[in-house]
Amino acid sequence: VQLAESGGDSVQAGGSLRLSCTASNTEHYDRFAMGWFRPPPGKERETVSCISASGKAISYADSVKGRFTVSRDNAKMTQYLVMNTLEPEDTAMYYCARSARSSCTITTAEVFRWWGQGTQVTVSS
């Protein structure tokens, strides 16, 4: 599985961005949950969002609820993260990852085994 993130940029506080994560070299993309994380495992990682395989179950970190919206297009093997009302505290490298499961009940590194290279989001005050 290969995951490629895009959409990171430098913006002013209060601005918006849309991140994309497209999968390749994989089958059955629609069978697995997808997540957005900041930063990668081994460091103080935060699960920004998780969307189940069907897209019907979604969870967010408390710090982004009401500001970020995650979605997925299984036909395009892509998930999106719309980030509104960005704050300097949102500055981070954002990583897309694929779960080995269809649900978001577990978001540990043991379950989210496939990671992209990340896309940098920088929010200035």
Side-chain angles (χ1 to χ4, degrees):
V1 176
Q2 292 180 319
L3 301 172
E5 302 95 335
S6 62
D9 205 345
S10 296
V11 296
Q12 295 284 326
S16 299
L17 286 173
R18 187 180 82 156
L19 306 184
S20 300
C21 171
T22 300
S24 60
N25 195 31
T26 182
E27 295 181 351
H28 307 303
Y29 174 84
D30 58 351
R31 294 185 182 180
F32 302 103
M34 296 294 297
W36 286 99
F37 300 86
R38 60 186 188 188
K43 300 182 181 180
E44 201 170 326
R45 185 188 74 169
E46 180 179 32
T47 304
V48 176
S49 68
C50 183
I51 184 167
S52 66
S54 67
K56 294 180 180 179
I58 292 173
S59 61
Y60 296 99
D62 288 342
S63 59
V64 307
K65 282 180 181 177
R67 301 187 298 121
F68 291 10
T69 303
V70 66
S71 62
R72 64 189 293 165
D73 184 333
N74 287 340
K76 295 181 179 179
M77 296 201 297
T78 300
Q79 73 158 336
Y80 305 96
L81 184 68
V82 174
M83 311 163 70
N84 293 320
T85 320
L86 282 161
E87 304 169 351
E89 292 75 21
D90 296 316
T91 296
M93 186 74 81
Y94 283 72
Y95 292 85
C96 166
R98 200 205 84 174
S99 175
R101 301 184 177 203
S102 62
S103 71
C104 292
T105 52
I106 301 175
T107 58
T108 62
E110 288 74 18
V111 174
F112 280 83
R113 303 174 193 165
W114 299 271
W115 292 76
Q117 294 300 307
T119 186
Q120 178 68 39
V121 172
T122 302
V123 185
S124 58
S125 57

